[in-house]
């Protein structure tokens, strides 16, 4: 993979980051889009979260993917004569796609789409050393936006693991699913991991780990604003706060100001009362019925659903029938 082979389609520019931050912090409920967690440092923190005992989604899905990949091998036998092309949305560290590449056998090409260039390129290099026959296409792009990718007559399988869809509100999730369908094309498939609804203590602990890694991940967005947008947040004056909002069916993450303070970002002042928070992330949890309906409304029909024995996590195979 040469540097020139990296597609850098619409890397978010500093002015977009600045505009989103100025807008978000001007709202009555201050907020920041969760996509800004994932600079190099934030992506590393997220990888650490995935190793935590409290954070069940990562390891549960990874364990499930072995069975899923075997079933998919049977599903696609005869259905993909030219082989498969896998397109991963929000590819991150690419640790999950390996399960599919190894078991499916007939994957010819792999397009990895992610917003974090350095992390994506390092991950693709590692994958390349493990799967030498595979044609790998890293693509630096905000996967929440539509994208046109090169065409081939291979059967396309989108891959969106980790319940990242849960970080969109239901309207945005539906928009993502529509866009993914447009990117992948009619009759393509999407393998998508979705966190399920479950007892509140399991959810609360997953986002309030004992080692405080999730708190560091959350606060890193303040440090990123300081670094990239000339901000003066002092992270020790903010506390990580994560809780399950039952009526909305989502975990909410906030950064709560520990005192009255004024923050300056690129020459703009923002006042914080003591206890006032910045809402930094939602993580929606879906029952199988809820997610199947959302997918259907967005042009996708459910082909298969896998659940682990404790029903902590769900993996769906969808087909775009729009
Ligand atoms: C990436 N995403 C699915 C994670 C989640 O669980 O919502 C991000 C995360 N936030 C805190 N811990 C993990």
């Amino acid at each position: 993979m040469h540097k020139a082979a990296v597609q850098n389609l619409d890397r978010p520019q500093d002015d977009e980051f600045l505009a989103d931050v100025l807008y978000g912090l001007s709202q009555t409920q201050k907020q920041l889009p969760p996509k800004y967690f994932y600079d190099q440092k934030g992506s590393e923190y997220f990888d650490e979260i995935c190793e935590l005992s409290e954070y069940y989604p990562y390891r549960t899905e990874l364990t499930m993917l072995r069975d899923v990949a075997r079933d998919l091998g049977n599903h696609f036998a005869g259905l993909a004569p030219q082989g498969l092309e896998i397109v991963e949305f929000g590819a991150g560290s690419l640790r999950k796609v390996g399960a599919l590449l190894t078991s499916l056998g007939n994957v010819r090409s792999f397009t990895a789409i992610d917003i974090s260039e350095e992390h994506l390129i390092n991950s693709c290099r590692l994958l390349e050393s493990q799967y030498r026959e595979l044609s790998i296409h890293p693509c630096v792009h905000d996967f929440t936006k539509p994208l046109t990718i090169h065409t081939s007559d291979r059967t396309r399988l989108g891959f969106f693991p980790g319940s990242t869809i849960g970080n969109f509100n239901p309207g945005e999730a539906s928009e993502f699913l529509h866009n993914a369908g447009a990117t992948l094309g009619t009759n393509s498939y999407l393998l998508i991991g979705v966190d399920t609804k479950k007892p509140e203590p399991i959810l609360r602990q997953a986002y309030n780990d004992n080692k405080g890694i999730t708190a560091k991940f959350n606060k890193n967005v303040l440090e990123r604003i300081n670094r990239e947008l000339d901000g003066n947040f002092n992270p020790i004056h903010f506390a990580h706060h994560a809780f399950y909002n039952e009526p909305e069916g989502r975990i909410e993450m906030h950064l709560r100001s520990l005192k009255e303070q004024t923050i300056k970002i690129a020459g703009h002042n923002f006042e914080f009362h003591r206890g006032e928070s910045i809402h930094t992330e939602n993580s929606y949890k879906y029952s199988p019925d809820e997610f199947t309906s959302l997918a259907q409304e967005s042009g996708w029909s459910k082909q298969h659903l896998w659940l682990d024995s404790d029903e902590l996590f769900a993996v769906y195979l969808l087909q775009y029938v729009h």
Side-chain angles (χ1 to χ4, degrees):
M1 188 185 73
H2 305 289
K3 182 82 182 150
V6 179
Q7 266 189 290
N8 194 330
L9 291 174
D10 69 347
R11 195 177 173 197
Q13 301 298 315
D14 281 355
D15 51 0
E16 185 186 342
F17 182 26
L18 179 62
D20 285 348
V21 169
L22 297 184
Y23 173 79
L25 296 185
S26 307
Q27 302 306 296
T28 310
Q29 167 60 71
K30 292 181 170 63
Q31 53 191 265
L32 291 170
K35 66 182 178 185
Y36 294 116
F37 283 138
Y38 301 93
D39 63 352
Q40 177 68 14
K41 190 74 209 155
S43 301
E44 285 167 14
Y45 281 136
F46 182 62
D47 286 350
E48 278 186 64
I49 288 175
C50 291
E51 302 301 325
L52 295 168
S53 58
E54 296 96 331
Y55 194 71
Y56 62 85
Y58 177 80
R59 63 168 182 280
T60 308
E61 187 184 43
L62 193 61
T63 306
M64 290 171 77
L65 281 177
R66 288 178 208 128
D67 289 345
V68 170
R70 189 203 53 226
D71 294 349
L72 282 181
N74 295 333
H75 181 90
F76 286 117
L79 270 183
Q82 310 296 326
L84 282 169
E85 177 173 349
I86 294 185
V87 178
E88 182 166 351
F89 297 92
S93 58
L94 300 180
R95 282 181 292 183
K96 286 181 185 150
V97 78
L100 301 184
L101 295 173
T102 304
S103 301
L104 281 172
N106 63 344
V107 182
R108 302 281 172 263
S109 92
F110 174 59
T111 300
I113 306 167
D114 200 273
I115 202 168
S116 175
E117 180 166 5
E118 201 179 336
H119 204 58
L120 177 68
I121 291 171
N122 291 340
S123 305
C124 282
R125 291 230 163 89
L126 187 65
L127 202 69
E128 193 178 42
S129 66
Q130 293 162 343
Y131 299 90
R132 298 204 167 272
E133 303 297 305
L134 188 67
S135 154
I136 300 178
H137 310 276
C139 179
V140 181
H141 179 73
D142 177 353
F143 66 84
T144 61
K145 297 178 179 162
L147 163 72
T148 306
I149 49 176
H150 58 277
T151 48
S152 75
D153 26 353
R154 296 188 185 114
T155 302
R156 279 203 182 141
L157 173 64
F159 185 42
F160 195 39
S163 200
T164 301
I165 189 122
N167 297 134
F168 302 141
N169 67 41
E172 292 164 341
S174 180
E175 194 181 327
F176 166 81
L177 289 169
H178 274 294
N179 287 341
T183 298
L184 297 168
T186 304
N187 293 327
S188 60
Y189 295 87
L190 181 64
L191 188 70
I192 182 165
V194 182
D195 202 1
T196 57
K197 288 203 154 84
K198 56 184 62 67
E200 186 270 347
I202 302 177
L203 289 167
R204 186 174 7 101
Q205 282 157 26
Y207 293 83
N208 289 284
D209 64 276
N210 279 333
K211 288 186 184 157
I213 308 294
T214 311
K216 286 186 182 166
F217 171 74
N218 198 4
K219 287 186 183 190
N220 176 60
V221 74
L222 304 182
E223 295 184 24
R224 182 173 183 186
I225 291 171
N226 289 349
R227 269 194 311 270
E228 297 182 25
L229 302 179
D230 193 21
N232 69 347
F233 280 109
N234 185 342
I236 65 167
H237 295 147
F238 286 84
H240 167 73
H241 180 51
F243 62 93
Y244 186 55
N245 179 336
E246 177 115 40
E248 296 290 342
R250 68 190 189 204
I251 284 280
E252 291 187 18
M253 288 213 313
H254 292 251
L255 287 165
R256 194 187 263 165
S257 177
L258 294 173
K259 60 175 199 170
E260 184 138 350
Q261 51 184 321
T262 304
I263 301 298
K264 204 171 198 145
I265 299 164
H268 300 260
N269 285 337
F270 296 96
E271 308 294 336
F272 284 81
H273 305 298
R274 187 161 178 261
E276 185 180 1
S277 77
I278 311 173
H279 187 173
T280 50
E281 187 183 62
N282 288 321
S283 193
Y284 282 84
K285 313 301 169 188
Y286 290 97
S287 70
D289 283 349
E290 286 169 339
F291 189 73
T292 304
S293 302
L294 179 75
Q296 247 157 20
E297 286 157 19
S298 316
W300 294 87
S301 87
K302 186 184 81 181
Q303 303 290 302
H304 201 89
L305 162 63
W306 295 264
L307 283 162
D308 66 297
S309 54
D310 297 321
E311 305 199 353
L312 289 175
F313 203 83
V315 177
Y316 298 78
L317 180 68
L318 308 175
Q319 189 171 26
Y320 195 54
V321 288
H322 196 63

